[in-house]
Amino acid sequence: MIRGAGLFLFLAGLLMPAGRLCTAQEHAPYEPTLASLDSHPLPQWYAGAKLGIFIHWGLYSVPGWAPLSHPSHDFTSADYIKNNPYAEWYLNVMRIPGSPTQAYHREHYGANFSYYDFAPIFNRESKKWNPDEWAKIFRDAGARYVVLTTKHHDGFTLWPSTTVNPNPSIPQNERHAERDIVGELTAAVRQQGLKMGLYYSGGYDWTFNSGPIETAADYEAAKPETQAYGDYAFAQIHELIDRYHPAVLWDDIDWPKTGRPMQVEADYYNAVPDGVIDDRFGIKHADFVSPEYQNLDKISAKKWEECRGLGRSFGYNRAEGEAETIAPADLIALLVDIVSKNGNLLLDVGPEDDGTIPPVQMERLKALGAWLKQNGEAIYDTVPWERAVGKTVEGDDLRFTRKGSDLYVTILGAPKGRTATIVGVAARPGMQVTMLGHAEPLETRAAGDNLQVTLPAHLPGNYAYVLKLAGYAQ
Ligand code: GLC
C-alpha cells in the first residue's frame, strides 16, 4: 500500500503534464504558481542522501550560552521562551527582563555591551576557521549534504551582502561577516563531493522588528511585513541563489508576503532545477516537510527531514556537555528510524566562534561516520519497505529499509539473544542472509511465519546491526 503510493508519487514527479518522462534540468522554466512549483520532481540525490549536517554559526556563537532548565521543546509557554534552550536566540532572551540570559550577559559583558558588539569578536575569531577541515569532518561523518545559516534571526549575514539594510541603528561593519563564510564553505563542501545548502531566516529579522518575543502571541507579531523588508529579503535570497547556487534553499519561520515567496521559489528552481525547498515559506509548496526535534511515527509518502541539534540547541551552548548531548547509540537509532519512514536527518552542529566543533559533538560525528562506513548500504539510496518498524521474538527492536530486491533489517542496540527471529518475515527460496560487516552468510530457518537467523558469535561494530536479506523483496 505504502510502496504503491510511494511509486505513484515518484512517477508523478517524473512525468511532465504531457506524460513524458523528464529530468529536473529539462523542466524549467518554472512559474510563480502553485501548480508550476508542485510539478518540481523530488531530486534523487536528496531522496537518497538521508544525512545532512546543519550548521548554526554567527554572533550568538561568541557568548555561546543558554539555560538548561527546559530539556524538551514546548516552544509556546512564556517560561520556555524566557529560558529558551536555543543559544541562537540569545539576542531575544537577553532582552527579556529577569531572564537568565540577561543575567549572564550582564555578568560577562556588562549592561552596556550590545549584541552587535559581538561582531568584531566574531570577525576576529572566525579568521582562525578552516573550511576544509569542516568539510572533511562532515564527509567523514557520512553526510551527503550540508546546510549553513547564512542569516539567522539576528540579521547578521555570513556573506558580504551588498543589499543595504535600511535600519540605521546597526553600524554597517556589524551587519555581515568579514570573511565570505558562505562562499568559502560552499567551495570546500563541494570539493569533498557533498551538496551545499543554505538556510535563510526569512520570517524573522530582528534588525527590522526587534521584539523581543516574550509570549506565544509574539511569534506571529514579530514577523516584519513591510515592503522595505520584503524587498530586502527578496534581494538577499537572490544574492544567495545567484552567487552560490545552493542545492537546498532552507527558509525559516515564514516568508514576508511583500517579498513574493512564489517568485523566489520559481526563480530558485530556474537557477537550480535539482535543488530542494523546505516547507517554511508560508505557501503550500515544498519538496519536503521539516519537523524540528520531532519524529514521525509512521512512513510518510511526503519526503520529510527532521532537524535537531546534537544537544538541545542549534547554536553553540557552552553549558551543554555529555548529559545534554544525544548518546551515540540513540543517534544511530534515530537515523535508522527516520530513514525507515522516508525521512532525512539534518543533524546540527553548533561550532564555537573560532570554528571549533565542541569535543562532545565531534565524538558523535565520528561514531556516526564509523557506523555508516560499515552499514551505510542499509541507509543511503534506500526506500521504505512495507513496514518501518518490527520486532524479534527475542525482544529486539527492528527497522526496515529496502534497496531493489534487498531488504535490510536493522537491530537497534545489542541483540538480546544468539538468534534474531524476525516476526512476520517469512523465509523465501533463493534468499541469502548476511550481516553487514561480517563476511560469512548466516544460518537461517523458518519458524512458523517468522525467520530465525543465527547471529555471528562476534558482532561486527556496535550500536546497531544490519541483517541483509538479499533477494527477499522480489
Ligand atoms: C527554529 C528556530 C531556530 C532554528 C530553526 C532550525 O525556527 O527559531 O533557532 O534555527 O528553527 O530549524
Side-chain angles (χ1 to χ4, degrees), residues 125-372:
E125 292 302 307
S126 58
K127 299 259 156 44
K128 300 171 190 160
W129 166 66
N130 181 343
D132 294 320
E133 255 171 41
W134 273 17
K136 285 187 191 128
I137 289 169
F138 303 148
R139 181 205 58 196
D140 291 348
R144 287 202 171 166
Y145 63 105
V146 172
V147 179
L148 171 70
T149 49
T150 65
K151 182 196 87 167
H152 204 261
H153 308 338
D154 59 10
F156 184 83
T157 72
L158 295 193
W159 85 101
S161 173
T162 50
T163 308
V164 176
N165 184 326
N167 182 343
S169 70
I170 301 156
Q172 204 53 46
N173 65 349
E174 294 180 2
R175 289 172 183 185
H176 65 72
E178 275 172 14
R179 281 179 82 167
D180 178 9
I181 292 171
V182 178
E184 290 187 50
L185 187 62
T186 298
V189 160
R190 287 185 180 146
Q191 222 193 342
Q192 295 305 322
L194 276 57
K195 298 268 191 184
M196 183 67 191
L198 301 179
Y199 162 110
Y200 182 89
S201 172
Y204 291 151
D205 187 317
W206 294 330
T207 69
F208 281 81
N209 182 335
S210 54
I213 293 163
E214 293 188 67
T215 66
D218 298 339
Y219 280 131
E220 199 52 38
K223 295 175 182 172
E225 272 291 353
T226 58
Q227 192 57 53
Y229 179 61
D231 291 345
Y232 178 79
F234 188 87
Q236 282 206 322
I237 206 150
H238 279 81
E239 278 188 50
L240 292 174
I241 295 167
D242 296 347
R243 288 178 69 142
Y244 309 111
H245 274 71
V248 184
L249 196 63
W250 215 105
D251 176 48
D252 199 7
I253 306 290
D254 204 341
W255 190 264
K257 296 289 167 279
T258 47
R260 294 177 287 156
M262 287 208 196
Q263 188 66 53
V264 169
E265 295 196 357
D267 293 347
Y268 171 63
Y269 283 150
N270 289 329
V272 189
D274 70 342
V276 285
I277 297 178
D278 72 348
D279 62 341
R280 299 190 183 188
F281 272 90
I283 59 172
K284 282 220 172 70
H285 172 69
D287 290 300
F288 62 92
V289 295
S290 61
E292 185 172 322
Y293 280 93
Q294 233 183 344
N295 267 20
L296 302 198
D297 60 0
K298 53 177 186 295
I299 298 170
S300 158
K302 178 76 184 173
K303 185 68 191 173
W304 60 288
E305 178 193 76
E306 166 162 347
C307 61
R308 58 156 293 156
L310 278 156
R312 300 173 190 169
S313 172
F314 286 94
Y316 170 55
N317 182 1
R318 69 186 68 244
E320 285 189 355
E322 218 24 68
E324 291 76 24
T325 310
I326 189 168
D330 294 341
L331 175 59
I332 284 150
L334 177 72
L335 174 68
V336 180
D337 179 61
I338 289 172
V339 172
S340 73
K341 296 168 182 166
N342 199 28
N344 285 3
L345 172 61
L346 184 62
L347 183 66
D348 183 84
V349 301
E352 297 176 31
D353 55 4
D354 64 358
T356 302
I357 298 175
V360 278
Q361 298 194 3
M362 271 305 298
E363 257 178 46
R364 272 60 179 180
L365 296 180
K366 283 190 178 150
L368 191 55
W371 189 85
L372 280 166

Side-chain angles (χ1 to χ4, degrees), residues 5 49 93 121 143 204 207 254 272 290 323 365 386 420 425 428 468-469:
V93 190
I121 306 177
Y204 291 151
T207 69
D254 204 341
V272 189
S290 61
L365 296 180
E386 293 160 12
V425 170
R428 287 202 175 149
K468 177 178 180 180
L469 278 53

